[in-house]
């Protein structure tokens, strides 16, 4: 029996060769896409870990120095702030504070202060004396003594004018000062909450203090600057009554008054950290060792020791849901995960480079 000879048509040979070439071509393309997808996923995980570590560092007690001066004094922090304001005897805030402190019954019946929410220095608290001093210096005494009203009617009630536009000494806060033997010296600042443009963004989910959802600063390399702690507007602590519906529009003090006072002002641990972050500082910055940039290009140098009026300190509760050591442990674990992801990213980048070299036909090193 003769052997059967199997012949292959030329077109079939071409087809098989084409399929083989196509398979060889698609393989590097698929490898490139797979490694690119892996890198994107790892980068998103790394960014998430960066955010988590930063948030825990903020909760850990962002500052190095806890000043115990207020604990040793006989005054509650809020009472100390009130005493500081009372020492400003010729100021509108000092007069208002005196009437509210020593003539409470009379004050409750005064229509001119019914719309007054308070003095700027009394409407927030901070974690420590270092930050309190920095914010006092940044805002200045005039702003710290600013009177905050809910509506423009409250502003109008503070000062009255005669037909020639001159201030009436017997009306408004001027008249109130005269009634207790005080005279307002010079101008004073008053804020109208309903006229302040509120923060247009949202809030951090499930945050009891209704902190603003601000994007953390990023350097040109995409990383958050070393030593960044938070935005000042989210570092002030507010009473519950001032978190919601302070204005007719339903806004609280954080997104109105304090957003307008501090905007995107950043806080860093050290001057060196702050200066390294200059490329992503857009609205000024402070450092806990005394550095201050009030706006781009304007640096305040030197130092200051005396502060007439400061924000009171937070007392009676901790902002931490976990204790100090637990948070430190959590940060260490996250940094370990971060290191592992960085190693994975390095390997994926090497594999991606090889796949691209294979696709282009370049020899692999």
């Amino acid at each position: 029996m003769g052997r059967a000879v199997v012949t292959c048509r030329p077109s079939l040979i071409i087809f098989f060769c084409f399929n083989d070439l196509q398979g060889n071509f698609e393989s590097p393309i698929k490898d490139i896409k797979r490694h690119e997808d892996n890198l994107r996923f790892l980068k998103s995980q790394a960014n998430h870990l960066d955010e988590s570590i930063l948030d825990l560092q903020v909760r850990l007690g962002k500052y190095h120095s806890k000043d115990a001066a207020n604990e040793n004094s006989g005054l509650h922090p809020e009472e100390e702030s009130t005493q500081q304001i009372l020492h400003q005897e010729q100021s509108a805030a000092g007069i208002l504070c005196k009437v509210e402190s020593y003539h409470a019954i009379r004050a409750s019946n005064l229509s001119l202060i019914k719309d007054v929410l308070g003095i700027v220095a009394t409407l927030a608290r901070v974690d420590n004396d270092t930050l309190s001093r920095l914010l006092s210096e940044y805002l200045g005494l005039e702003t710290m003594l600013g009177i905050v009203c809910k509506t423009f009617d409250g502003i109008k009630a503070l000062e009255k004018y005669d037909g020639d536009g001159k201030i009436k000494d017997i009306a408004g806060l001027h008249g109130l000062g005269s009634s207790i033997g005080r005279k307002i010296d010079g101008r004073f600042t008053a804020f109208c909450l309903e006229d302040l443009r509120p923060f247009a963004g949202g809030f951090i989910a499930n945050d009891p203090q209704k902190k603003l959802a601000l994007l953390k600063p990023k350097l040109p390399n995409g990383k958050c600057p070393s030593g960044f702690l938070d935005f000042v507007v989210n570092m002030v602590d507010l009473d519950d009554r001032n978190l919601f519906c302070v204005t007719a529009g339903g806004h609280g003090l954080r997104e109105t008054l304090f957003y307008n006072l501090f905007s995107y002002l950043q806080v860093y641990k050290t001057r060196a950290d702050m200066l390294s972050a200059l490329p992503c500082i857009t609205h000024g910055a402070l450092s806990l060792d005394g550095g201050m940039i009030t706006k781009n290009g304007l640096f305040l140098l030197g130092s200051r020791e005396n502060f007439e009026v400061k924000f009171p300190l937070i007392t009676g509760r901790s902002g931490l849901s976990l204790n100090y050591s637990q948070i430190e442990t959590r940060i260490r674990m996250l940094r370990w995960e971060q290191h592992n992801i960085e190693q994975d990213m390095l390997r994926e980048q090497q594999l991606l480079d090889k796949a691209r070299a294979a696709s282009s036909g370049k020899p692999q090193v």
Side-chain angles (χ1 to χ4, degrees):
M1 181 183 294
R3 288 185 303 171
V5 178
V6 179
T7 60
C8 190
R9 295 193 306 272
S11 60
L12 202 57
I13 294 172
I14 294 171
F15 175 78
F16 288 148
C17 291
F18 175 78
N19 273 354
D20 188 54
L21 287 171
Q22 187 180 37
N24 290 337
F25 179 76
E26 286 182 349
S27 181
I29 299 299
K30 288 180 180 178
D31 284 343
I32 290 172
K33 186 178 185 308
R34 175 163 55 83
H35 294 308
E36 286 177 341
D37 289 342
N38 289 345
L39 268 176
R40 276 192 290 269
F41 173 76
L42 289 170
K43 284 178 181 177
S44 70
Q45 291 294 101
N47 289 337
H48 178 71
L49 283 173
D50 282 342
E51 298 284 339
S52 298
I53 290 171
L54 280 169
D55 289 339
L56 284 173
Q57 285 174 333
V58 169
R59 291 173 61 195
L60 192 58
K62 314 153 218 154
Y63 325 110
H64 295 298
S65 58
K66 279 284 185 180
D67 196 309
N70 283 282
E71 295 178 7
N72 297 327
S73 70
L75 294 175
H76 192 272
E78 279 80 2
E79 293 174 349
E80 184 174 7
S81 291
T82 299
Q83 290 298 318
Q84 292 169 352
I85 295 171
L86 287 171
H87 289 154
Q88 306 298 317
E89 296 183 352
Q90 304 304 312
S91 69
I95 291 171
L96 185 61
C97 205
K98 182 175 178 64
V99 171
E100 290 181 333
S101 298
Y102 300 103
H103 308 276
I105 296 177
R106 180 184 176 189
S108 64
N109 296 318
L110 286 172
S111 59
L112 77 91
I113 63 174
K114 285 187 179 297
D115 194 67
V116 173
L117 196 63
I119 311 301
V120 169
T122 66
L123 293 174
R125 298 175 295 269
V126 295
D127 274 355
N128 68 37
D129 194 57
T130 299
L131 186 62
S132 180
R133 288 170 179 269
L134 281 170
L135 298 187
S136 173
E137 183 177 4
Y138 176 81
L139 292 177
L141 181 62
E142 184 175 317
T143 299
M144 290 291 286
L145 294 176
I147 298 172
V148 181
C149 297
K150 296 179 182 178
T151 68
F152 185 61
D153 286 338
I155 298 290
K156 292 191 293 184
L158 295 178
E159 196 166 79
K160 301 293 184 181
Y161 311 94
D162 62 20
D164 296 325
K166 294 182 179 180
I167 297 170
K168 290 184 178 180
D169 292 334
I170 59 172
L173 264 184
H174 299 275
L176 185 61
S178 298
S179 70
I180 59 172
R182 298 279 183 86
K183 179 178 174 60
I184 297 175
D185 182 21
R187 292 184 178 273
F188 62 93
T189 299
F191 296 89
C192 176
L193 289 181
E194 70 174 5
D195 288 341
L196 296 179
R197 180 176 295 180
F199 174 63
F203 301 94
I204 296 175
N206 302 317
D207 189 282
Q209 275 283 307
K210 281 192 69 183
K211 293 180 180 178
L212 308 185
L214 302 174
L215 294 176
K216 290 182 173 64
K218 298 290 184 183
L219 292 168
N221 64 8
K223 290 186 175 294
C224 188
S226 174
F228 171 75
L229 297 176
D230 208 341
F231 294 96
V232 169
V233 69
N234 281 341
M235 296 175 79
V236 295
D237 185 272
L238 306 181
D239 283 334
D240 290 345
R241 67 176 182 273
N242 291 330
L243 291 172
F244 305 91
C245 300
V246 177
T247 69
H251 299 296
L253 280 187
R254 191 179 306 280
E255 64 268 32
T256 53
L257 176 67
F258 291 107
Y259 174 67
N260 277 270
L261 288 177
F262 297 125
S263 185
Y264 294 88
L265 182 67
Q266 302 172 20
V267 181
Y268 290 84
K269 288 182 180 179
T270 67
R271 280 187 181 88
D273 291 330
M274 181 179 74
L275 295 177
S276 296
L278 283 176
C280 57
I281 294 175
T282 58
H283 293 75
L286 310 173
S287 68
L288 296 181
D289 56 2
M292 187 174 296
I293 304 172
T294 57
K295 56 185 178 181
N296 288 354
L298 181 57
F299 296 76
L300 294 188
L301 306 179
S303 63
R304 184 179 176 188
E305 298 297 332
N306 299 319
F307 300 88
E308 297 91 341
V309 178
K310 300 181 296 181
F311 286 108
L313 306 186
I314 298 171
T315 58
R317 66 176 179 83
S318 171
L320 305 177
S321 58
L322 299 172
N323 65 41
Y324 191 93
S325 62
Q326 286 176 314
I327 294 178
E328 280 192 320
T329 300
R330 179 62 179 155
I331 289 175
R332 283 195 295 269
M333 290 177 63
L334 290 177
R335 282 179 174 157
W336 177 77
E337 292 179 26
Q338 191 178 47
H339 173 74
N340 289 340
I341 285 181
E342 286 172 355
Q343 294 301 309
D344 290 341
M345 289 173 64
L346 183 61
R347 283 191 290 271
E348 281 296 331
Q349 185 63 54
Q350 290 171 344
L351 292 170
L352 176 59
D353 292 341
K354 287 183 179 181
R356 285 174 173 166
S359 172
S360 64
K362 294 179 181 179
Q364 299 179 27
V365 180

